[in-house]
Amino acid sequence: MEIVRSHRQLAAAAAAAGGGGLGSLPTYRAAPQLEVRLEEFELFAIDRLRVLKGISDGLSRGKRPEDMEKLVSELWKTHMRHQDPAETLNKDIISHFVLRLVYCRTEELRKWFLSMETTLFRYRFRLETSESQRMLMTEFQLPYKALPHSEFEVVKDKLSQVARSIGQSANVESVFFKVPFQEVPDLVASRRVFLSKGYAYVAMSQVVSLVVTQFRCNISKALVLTNRKWTATIKEQEKDRLTPIVEALSNAYFGPDYSQPKDAVEISVKDIDQLAKSSFPLCMRHMLDKLRENHHLKHGGRMQFGLFLKGAGLKLEDALAFWRAEFSQKVGSERFDKEYAYSIRHNYGKEGKRTDYTPYSCQKIISATPGVGDHHGCPYRHFGEENLRAALNKMGVSGHTLEEIMDKVKNRHYQLACTLTFEATHGVSCDSGINHPNQYFSESQKVLRAKNQTVESQSAT
């Protein structure tokens, strides 16, 4: 497609449709009616994805709010900002709507995109001036007015107590909003607001929680509607033009497609036990142990572990041999061929719709809800403390490192806990964080190959 208007005209049209006319931060209420070159369609999206991926990495590393604010500012300046504010706004709004199209297609994609865009909006809002924040509140049409002076004086002492309890100055802000407590669940959960008769008293410095709640709700609904349009018309109409770009973008930046890693090598059935000891993440070690113990895994476990092995390099023929050898000990070979072989071939794209399924990302595994008798999911989230400590001890993790991992688990930083486990068992730093079990496996193999090469080189000299 060709751009048929100047970039400044595009920015004006984008601002009018996507919001942000009252300030520099858009609200993305509606897609702008623009014509954009395919090259910019993709490049704008890639730059924004670099920002979102940077945010994801920061969160997985457990960065503090003040550090995240600095990180978001640096990421935005590096990848999105232009000398001309109109150009920045143009790129901002177009890239958001391109990625909305990319990430609307599955629940997992929508969940990740919604979380990262909400985090991005939160920190960008906090960097806005107070006047701009007020205008954005108006733009979101929030039905809240500043607390009258008479009512403020009645609760002033209570507000001062809350301020002191969270380490703020006893000099209470003069502008507060009285809102239903369910509108600011994060502030209520962290005890950062005064509650009375079902209402929370929110300071002007805290209104980001009100705005972000509305922003998240709007984007969540929009993603569902976009998915319907994508499924009904866009996917087929654009199959030769936009669809390949959309699929490539989601694979490249949302948990890489580990079904065919560039540096992958084939593994055989006989390699699995040794590789499990050296390079499997805890979730996959646990499922292999349970498979060996029970000669069976339920559907969730077969999917999670089977796709992991596929991504690690286990070919279809070997996968069938591996699962048959285990399951036949409990259900017999004939029943295995009738009831289980089909699903294994299906995962490799040889049955049904011929979809070549990709391994589960950490986010998908963490969000799982294993039932009784299930062994899939994330051990850092789903294990009890005693079982998790025992499992980590078995991997050789103990002492201060173990306590640090358990601290991350208590604070729900499950991927960071897995990252610390990787670093402890491999003796190297993993700055990018662990976001995928097959990434864990791939990075482990790289470390082990490098160590082996070093040993061989020293032996040769």
Side-chain angles (χ1 to χ4, degrees):
M1 285 191 276
E2 292 296 318
I3 293 182
V4 295
R5 287 173 279 177
S6 71
H7 278 198
R8 190 170 292 278
Q9 287 175 315
L10 287 175
L22 298 174
S24 61
L25 181 55
T27 54
Y28 315 108
R29 292 170 299 172
Q33 299 298 313
L34 305 175
E35 294 186 15
V36 185
R37 293 189 184 96
L38 279 179
E39 180 182 4
E40 290 192 329
F41 179 94
E42 186 171 8
L43 291 177
F44 284 1
I46 288 174
D47 280 345
R48 192 181 193 92
L49 278 169
R50 287 175 175 143
V51 174
L52 299 186
K53 185 62 169 61
I55 292 172
S56 179
D57 290 343
L59 293 174
S60 70
R61 298 294 296 178
K63 286 186 176 292
R64 296 175 298 178
E66 56 268 29
D67 294 327
M68 284 298 301
E69 185 170 308
K70 181 180 179 181
L71 174 65
V72 169
S73 179
E74 292 175 348
L75 287 168
W76 191 262
K77 182 178 181 180
T78 301
H79 300 296
M80 296 294 292
R81 189 159 293 170
H82 192 277
Q83 291 181 343
D84 184 348
E87 293 280 5
T88 300
L89 179 61
N90 177 48
K91 182 176 182 179
D92 181 4
I93 295 176
I94 290 175
S95 64
H96 171 86
F97 281 98
V98 173
L99 293 191
R100 187 183 290 186
L101 184 64
V102 172
Y103 286 88
C104 75
R105 297 172 301 129
T106 69
E107 182 179 355
E108 186 180 5
L109 292 174
R110 290 193 295 271
K111 185 176 181 180
W112 184 85
F113 179 71
L114 179 62
S115 177
M116 294 307 107
E117 279 287 339
T118 300
T119 302
L120 173 61
F121 185 86
R122 175 186 293 276
Y123 286 106
R124 289 183 68 194
F125 183 89
R126 290 172 60 169
L127 293 169
E128 293 285 317
T129 64
S130 296
E131 182 62 24
S132 178
Q133 290 179 353
R134 285 176 178 270
M135 290 191 290
L136 281 163
M137 290 182 68
T138 301
E139 191 164 351
F140 275 111
Q141 299 179 336
L142 296 176
Y144 310 120
K145 295 182 180 179
L147 203 65
H149 180 72
S150 58
E151 188 173 354
F152 171 75
E153 288 297 324
V154 172
V155 297
K156 183 176 180 180
D157 289 341
K158 297 292 186 181
L159 300 176
S160 179
Q161 290 177 22
V162 173
R164 287 195 297 270
S165 71
I166 60 177
Q168 294 181 350
S169 170
N171 296 323
V172 182
E173 296 181 49
S174 59
V175 180
F176 275 79
F177 298 86
K178 183 179 178 181
V179 306
F181 75 93
Q182 62 268 27
E183 297 294 323
V184 285
D186 57 328
L187 296 179
V188 174
S190 58
R191 300 182 179 182
R192 300 180 67 83
V193 288
F194 170 60
L195 296 176
S196 178
K197 299 179 180 179
Y199 287 92
Y201 290 78
V202 180
M204 184 63 203
S205 61
Q206 298 172 316
V207 295
V208 61
S209 294
L210 283 171
V211 177
V212 164
T213 297
Q214 187 63 48
F215 175 83
R216 185 183 184 90
C217 181
N218 292 351
I219 300 302
S220 180
K221 291 178 180 178
L223 284 168
V224 174
L225 294 175
T226 306
N227 173 254
R228 292 175 185 171
K229 292 180 180 179
W230 169 264
T231 303
T233 58
I234 301 174
K235 182 178 181 179
E236 181 61 26
Q237 291 176 355
E238 299 288 345
K239 64 181 180 180
D240 297 322
R241 187 176 54 163
L242 296 186
T243 300
I245 295 176
V246 166
E247 292 178 348
L249 285 170
S250 63
N251 283 337
Y253 290 92
F254 178 78
D257 180 1
Y258 284 101
S259 61
Q260 294 294 337
K262 292 181 179 179
D263 57 349
V265 295
E266 288 188 28
I267 65 173
S268 65
V269 175
K270 65 180 181 180
D271 297 325
I272 291 177
D273 286 295
Q274 183 57 45
L275 288 171
K277 295 178 183 178
S278 62
S279 298
F280 281 16
L282 181 55
C283 55
M284 302 304 167
R285 294 185 186 213
H286 172 65
M287 280 191 291
L288 179 60
D289 288 343
K290 289 301 179 181
L291 177 61
R292 299 294 194 202
E293 178 183 329
N294 301 322
H295 307 298
H296 190 272
L297 286 176
K298 291 187 177 182
H299 177 74
R302 296 197 302 273
M303 289 294 292
Q304 182 175 317
F305 190 45
L307 290 174
F308 168 79
L309 291 176
K310 174 188 174 185
L314 190 68
K315 300 304 178 184
L316 174 58
E317 294 76 14
D318 285 333
L320 286 167
F322 170 74
W323 290 102
R324 181 181 287 108
E326 288 299 328
F327 274 49
S328 62
Q329 297 182 52
K330 186 169 185 176
V331 303
S333 297
E334 183 176 350
R335 184 179 168 189
F336 173 83
D337 291 336
K338 287 182 178 180
E339 297 183 15
Y340 299 101
Y342 176 90
S343 64
I344 296 170
R345 293 195 298 270
H346 191 272
N347 284 348
Y348 280 78
K350 303 302 181 182
E351 299 286 359
K353 295 181 180 179
R354 308 285 173 169
T355 301
D356 193 17
Y357 291 93
T358 57
Y360 290 174
S361 67
C362 285
Q363 186 177 27
K364 185 176 181 68
I365 292 171
I366 290 169
S367 63
T369 52
V372 177
D374 285 329
H375 301 295
H376 61 284
C378 174
Y380 299 98
R381 180 185 178 189
H382 299 119
F383 276 19
E385 180 176 348
E386 184 178 344
N387 287 340
L388 181 56
R389 285 181 177 274
L392 290 170
N393 280 327
K394 189 176 178 181
M395 293 179 69
V397 181
S398 60
H400 174 73
T401 302
L402 176 60
E403 296 308 318
E404 189 176 0
I405 291 172
M406 297 306 299
D407 182 64
K408 299 303 179 186
V409 170
K410 290 176 183 177
N411 288 292
R412 301 182 181 180
H413 298 310
Y414 307 117
Q415 289 174 237
L416 185 54
C418 188
T419 301
L420 291 176
T421 302
F422 178 92
E423 293 177 341
T425 54
H426 291 79
V428 298
S429 176
C430 183
D431 294 333
S432 63
I434 296 298
N435 301 297
H436 200 293
N438 288 85
Q439 174 204 1
Y440 187 111
F441 175 79
S442 179
E443 293 299 322
S444 172
Q445 288 291 288
K446 290 179 183 177
V447 171
L448 294 176
R449 283 197 296 267
K451 288 181 178 180
N452 288 336
Q453 290 173 359
T454 300
V455 170
E456 292 173 0
S457 177
Q458 292 175 344
S459 299
T461 58

